[in-house]
Amino acid sequence: MYKYDENDRRIVLERAAQFKSQVERRLTGALKEEEFRPLRLQNGLYLQLHAYMLRVAVPYGLMSSTQMRMLSHIASKYDRGYGHMTTRQNIQFNWPKLDDVPSILDDLASVEMHAIQTSGNCIRNISADQFAGVIADEVVDPRPYAEIMRQWSTFHPEFAYLPRKFKFAFTGATTDRAAVQFHDIGFHALKNDAGEVGFKIYVGGGMGRTPMIGKVVSEFVPEKDLLLYTEAIMRVYNQFGRRDNKYKARIKILVHEMKLEEFTRRVEDEFTALLEEGGLPLDQAEIDRVAAYFVDPAYEDLPEKSASLDQNLADNRDFSFWYRQNVLTHKKTGYAIVNLSLKKPGVPPGDLTDVQMLAIADLADKYSFGEIRSTHEQNLVLADVRKDDLFDLWGALNASGFADPNIGTLQDMICCPGLDFCTLANARSIPIADKITSRFDDMDYLYDLGELKLKMSGCINACGHHHVGHIGILGVNKKGTELYQITLGGSAGDDASVGKIMGPGFDEDGIVPALEKILATYIDLREDGEEFLATYRRVGMTPFKETLYANH
Amino acid sequence: MQIIKDKAIVEDQWVHFDGQGDLPDGDLIVSLDVWQTRANELQGRRVGLQLEPDQHPKDVRDELANFELIAINFPTFMDGRGYSYAKILRDRFGFEGEIRAVGDVMRDQMFYMQRCGFTAYEVKEGRDIHDAIKAFDDFSVKYQVSADEHIPIYRRR
């Protein structure tokens, strides 16, 4: 993974010092809360229902074991012994004290980490395909470009006070696992017919109260123009994005209101002007320099088949289920990609304890070149595991609590923190997630259901991505009662779609029976081998609605 | 009044004129409206033009030679349009005079502002200007090119 040079190191230390002075000015009253708020937000520090919450950046989801151990240290020293993986591949701590935050930043800086731009109306920490560099269907490894973009967007002087938050995502594979069509800007790295690297760029995707699928502003921006073209988009947005109404301030609204053709014309004009005034293309030497940090680790030459793996798969049913569900094919023969599930009854989706963090760091060192990845679906990944080691790793993951064989199933739900933590939320989501994962814990049934993306948000801001769940759940507050609205048919993948609301919501006791009915309807209607989303797209909403609201 | 100019604290030589009554003596900073309505009276004077966030500098591009100074107003520090305006004035329009940040200007924005081409700051009333001037030292690393740095960091390594 990327290693800091002297500049990178200095900038996080200087940021820690700057934020320390901002905290001091807040504590002495020299800064008013409304002045401090945007400053702390640009450093990922929220004021939540019960306490401050600090969101630590995990650029494009990559962490070292050393960094994971530091996160464990922070969880135990400054928090209540746990952290929470977010849908932007970051980690957040729910209970730090304001006076401790400067010390936390110093600790983070010591392992090349920070909380820069994890919130606020700026370019947020960048997310990417969690399998970048190791998955077989990859065309271009997006990580060097994500890193170049991380540096470019860090303290970008022109774009630190945008109309609203701004999110980038990168993928370079044939299958989009980074939901690039639901970002303010989605970068899809690809190669043209001549074999040159460039980017298909989507703008104006997003969820929230007005979910929209990103629109293509350019089919192919050559890699040398990546930064200048992005600057052009940002400048058009900075100038024309609405500032009168925060709900209409996202670039998706601008693109929608201005129309894609006009927006694109302005971006192209701005891009041309930037070139004319001497805007520099990105140097190939710099691309190569950064790419050198992302070359393959020292893989061994291994045979495709692992005799011990095959034997263990034949001998151990539980292991074979885990292998089928949580392990993916690696581009390199003899290796495998392992998903660590952070989903199970009794644990908020995405949470892990300080002790578990240490265990994962050790496993990463032992089995996966000391590297850990986080996913936008709130899980972790060990990306480079020898097939011969899978059985041992599985045993260790069982012991530390990450071997639930439920990746891609209904149990693997995305869930926001909801009313238990969040000031914005209208309804609880963690206890509902627990009800659901506890009720649907029969693995045979879950496997029979097949791939099913369930996503839940505790309010319209959609941090839990409910709009793109095959089944989405949105918590709302109606006259003091928490109700849960169901949407069907969303997808964050290549076939991006926004789910449709079924009808009236259900209370806490009604939501699980409602899911039961929807799933039973699916099982009745599905054709051989047909996944939930395909069935829904074939038959539409009506049959689901009829069974769900039969007695209403 | 004291302002920060070229990274030093100095007495301001300019007078903000709101367009009411007779022209005061001295060098005047006026709004686009006053510039347009009282152009005749302003002939021969040293004039600074103040732009609001919804007044893009491209609209006055042809007139820039008339101004010694462009002030960009930040009615709220959360409105970031002025950063782009300063950058465009410097790098696209080649404006070499003073670009001054006025309004809700605090030390926490000044590092970004100077990178975009601002050279003078009317620090918000009630703020310690001696504290604010330290902001330029907040960071010694600049990742991106901007109005103050045209060589990308990787060519400076």
Side-chain angles (χ1 to χ4, degrees):
Chain A
M1 59 188 276
Y2 183 72
K3 292 291 291 175
Y4 277 13
D5 70 6
E6 195 42 49
N7 293 309
D8 303 306
R9 232 184 318 279
R10 206 171 338 137
I11 210 163
V12 296
L13 287 171
E14 288 173 349
R15 174 53 174 163
Q18 183 197 40
F19 193 69
K20 186 177 184 187
S21 112
Q22 289 168 343
V23 169
E24 281 165 3
R25 282 188 286 142
R26 174 68 196 119
L27 292 173
T28 61
L31 272 176
K32 293 192 236 104
E33 175 56 23
E34 67 262 30
E35 293 164 339
F36 181 55
R37 186 171 174 276
L39 302 178
R40 66 170 161 76
L41 285 179
Q42 292 207 355
N43 206 55
L45 188 65
Y46 285 73
L47 188 51
Q48 291 289 38
L49 272 183
H50 311 293
Y52 281 97
M53 181 270 276
L54 181 68
R55 184 179 294 149
V56 175
V58 181
Y60 37 93
L62 275 189
M63 285 169 281
S64 68
S65 54
T66 307
Q67 291 174 332
M68 185 59 96
R69 288 190 184 93
M70 180 54 80
L71 295 173
S72 168
H73 164 78
I74 288 167
S76 61
K77 182 170 178 188
Y78 302 106
D79 206 271
R80 295 187 181 175
Y82 69 97
H84 174 76
M85 304 308 304
T86 80
T87 54
R88 290 205 58 71
Q89 300 175 288
N90 296 321
I91 183 165
Q92 58 200 35
F93 296 102
N94 282 307
W95 305 98
K97 292 187 187 64
L98 180 58
D99 343 19
D100 281 340
V101 174
S103 304
I104 297 174
L105 295 184
D106 286 341
D107 287 353
L108 288 170
S110 74
V111 293
E112 306 187 353
M113 293 187 97
H114 57 76
I116 294 165
Q117 289 171 207
T118 52
S119 180
N121 292 343
C122 52
I123 300 170
R124 299 284 188 92
N125 182 55
I126 291 161
S127 61
D129 182 352
Q130 66 270 21
F131 303 138
V134 294
I135 196 81
D137 76 346
E138 190 163 88
V139 178
V140 177
D141 184 347
R143 293 172 299 175
Y145 304 97
E147 171 57 27
I148 286 167
M149 198 60 94
R150 177 194 75 80
Q151 296 187 20
W152 178 82
S153 60
T154 296
F155 302 134
H156 196 297
E158 194 178 336
F159 307 126
Y161 291 92
L162 294 168
R164 277 281 266 145
K165 60 184 173 181
F166 207 94
K167 297 174 181 178
F168 289 2
F170 277 83
T171 185
T174 49
T175 305
D176 174 17
R177 283 168 290 264
V180 298
Q181 295 182 68
F182 286 99
H183 281 77
D184 294 296
I185 305 183
F187 298 92
H188 190 155
L190 44 80
K191 286 182 179 163
N192 66 10
D193 292 341
E196 295 155 338
V197 173
F199 297 85
K200 181 174 183 173
I201 298 185
Y202 296 90
V203 288
M207 291 185 244
R209 62 188 66 207
T210 317
M212 288 190 190
I213 297 170
K215 300 173 178 73
V216 178
V217 68
S218 174
E219 289 286 346
F220 191 84
V221 172
E223 55 183 339
K224 69 178 170 53
D225 295 330
L226 174 64
L227 298 183
L228 277 184
Y229 202 87
T230 304
E231 182 173 343
I233 296 172
M234 298 309 301
R235 192 173 279 173
V236 171
Y237 171 61
N238 194 30
Q239 186 187 344
F240 296 105
R242 287 179 62 170
R243 292 173 191 266
D244 57 326
N245 177 340
K246 71 181 255 194
Y247 302 115
K248 300 195 170 187
R250 300 292 295 268
I251 195 171
K252 63 189 173 189
I253 304 291
L254 175 65
V255 175
H256 179 75
E257 289 183 350
M258 190 179 261
K259 304 279 182 277
L260 179 65
E261 293 67 29
E262 176 62 12
F263 178 83
T264 305
R265 189 188 66 75
R266 288 179 193 250
V267 169
E268 293 286 343
D269 285 354
E270 187 62 40
F271 175 65
T272 305
L274 282 167
L275 285 177
E276 282 170 358
E277 73 193 37
L280 292 172
L282 182 55
D283 291 5
Q284 187 61 46
E286 173 64 0
I287 298 173
D288 295 344
R289 185 188 72 86
V290 177
Y293 288 103
F294 298 98
V295 296
D296 288 345
Y299 292 131
E300 294 169 52
D301 278 324
L302 300 171
E304 174 63 37
K305 283 288 213 186
S306 159
S308 69
L309 170 64
D310 291 347
Q311 191 62 52
N312 284 314
L313 287 172
D315 293 347
N316 191 315
R317 194 164 167 267
D318 287 346
F319 175 63
S320 72
F321 284 147
W322 174 80
Y323 179 79
R324 191 190 65 195
Q325 208 63 38
N326 291 21
V327 178
L328 283 166
T329 306
H330 199 287
K331 69 174 185 184
K332 174 79 180 165
T333 57
Y335 283 84
I337 302 167
V338 174
N339 284 288
L340 279 55
S341 172
L342 270 55
K343 315 291 175 65
K344 59 163 61 184
V347 179
D351 273 18
L352 68 172
T353 68
D354 49 353
V355 175
Q356 289 178 317
M357 291 179 205
L358 290 180
I360 290 170
D362 289 347
L363 294 175
D365 281 341
K366 191 168 177 189
Y367 295 111
S368 197
F369 300 98
E371 183 198 90
I372 303 133
R373 296 154 180 237
S374 54
T375 83
H376 90 267
E377 295 186 314
Q378 299 177 296
N379 292 309
L380 295 173
V381 171
L382 296 178
D384 299 294
V385 181
R386 285 160 35 113
K387 283 184 174 176
D388 290 345
D389 289 337
L390 284 172
F391 188 71
D392 288 350
L393 172 61
W394 173 69
L397 290 176
N398 256 324
S400 50
F402 298 112
D404 287 57
N406 57 10
I407 297 292
T409 71
L410 180 145
Q411 268 202 348
D412 185 16
M413 63 189 292
I414 291 181
C415 175
C416 76
L419 199 51
D420 293 290
F421 293 97
C422 180
T423 48
L424 300 173
N426 299 112
R428 289 164 301 150
S429 43
I430 290 171
I432 307 303
D434 194 40
K435 272 180 194 277
I436 293 169
T437 45
S438 300
R439 164 60 186 84
F440 299 104
D441 65 345
D442 180 317
M443 294 317 292
D444 288 335
Y445 179 67
L446 291 183
Y447 293 158
D448 181 56
L449 287 176
E451 183 178 73
L452 214 166
K453 306 269 187 196
L454 178 63
K455 308 186 191 220
M456 176 163 57
S457 307
C459 80
I460 194 77
N461 294 299
C463 293
H465 297 183
H466 65 277
H467 294 299
V468 295
H470 300 167
I471 302 176
I473 301 175
L474 167 63
V476 295
N477 190 311
K478 283 251 161 75
K479 295 176 184 146
T481 307
E482 291 167 39
L483 288 181
Y484 297 89
Q485 272 181 357
I486 297 175
T487 58
L488 295 184
S491 168
D494 304 313
D495 56 350
S497 59
V498 173
K500 289 198 167 56
I501 297 172
M502 289 193 79
F506 298 86
D507 64 13
E508 186 179 349
D509 294 329
I511 188 68
V512 167
L515 280 177
E516 286 170 346
K517 284 182 190 166
I518 291 167
L519 297 171
T521 307
Y522 156 61
I523 289 170
D524 279 351
L525 292 173
R526 71 180 168 188
E527 291 175 349
D528 208 21
E530 195 178 47
E531 302 278 22
F532 180 89
L533 185 60
T535 301
Y536 168 80
R537 285 178 173 168
R538 179 171 57 78
V539 304
M541 181 69 89
T542 309
F544 290 96
K545 236 173 162 166
E546 279 169 0
T547 41
L548 188 57
Y549 295 105
N551 300 322
H552 281 239
Chain B
M1 190 184 89
Q2 288 190 318
I3 62 164
I4 294 173
K5 185 178 177 186
D6 298 328
K7 301 189 180 176
I9 296 170
V10 299
E11 269 317 307
D12 190 14
Q13 303 299 317
W14 290 81
V15 179
H16 284 274
F17 175 54
D18 64 4
Q20 301 299 309
D22 295 336
L23 251 49
D25 292 337
D27 303 333
L28 302 181
I29 298 174
V30 300
S31 66
L32 187 57
D33 181 52
V34 171
W35 167 250
Q36 287 165 345
T37 55
R38 302 184 67 165
N40 288 341
E41 293 169 75
L42 288 163
Q43 285 290 325
R45 300 285 290 267
R46 271 161 57 92
V47 178
L49 177 70
Q50 177 166 319
L51 295 174
E52 300 301 317
D54 59 352
Q55 295 172 333
H56 194 286
K58 72 177 185 307
D59 300 332
V60 295
R61 182 175 192 170
D62 296 337
E63 298 181 77
L64 284 175
N66 295 309
F67 307 114
E68 301 277 327
L69 172 158
I70 301 286
I72 295 175
N73 189 25
F74 291 83
T76 156
F77 71 88
M78 296 292 288
D79 190 329
R81 284 175 281 189
Y83 296 85
S84 288
Y85 295 168
K87 177 82 161 49
I88 286 167
L89 279 167
R90 285 283 184 240
D91 285 351
R92 188 161 301 166
F93 300 165
F95 183 76
E96 290 177 353
E98 176 178 326
I99 301 181
R100 176 186 290 208
V102 306
D104 201 4
V105 178
M106 293 188 292
R107 71 166 279 179
D108 306 284
Q109 286 75 44
M110 284 165 39
F111 181 82
Y112 292 143
M113 287 172 170
Q114 60 101 18
R115 293 221 55 205
C116 289
F118 286 93
T119 48
Y121 309 85
E122 293 182 13
V123 177
K124 184 182 181 181
E125 211 170 311
R127 295 307 149 122
D128 182 353
I129 197 168
H130 298 277
D131 179 56
I133 199 166
K134 295 177 196 157
F136 302 116
D137 299 326
D138 278 353
F139 293 104
S140 60
V141 177
K142 299 164 181 174
Y143 273 133
Q144 354 30 33
V145 295
S146 196
D148 66 329
E149 173 60 75
H150 290 95
I151 312 290
I153 189 167
Y154 49 85
R155 290 192 191 169
R156 286 181 268 129
R157 281 195 174 102

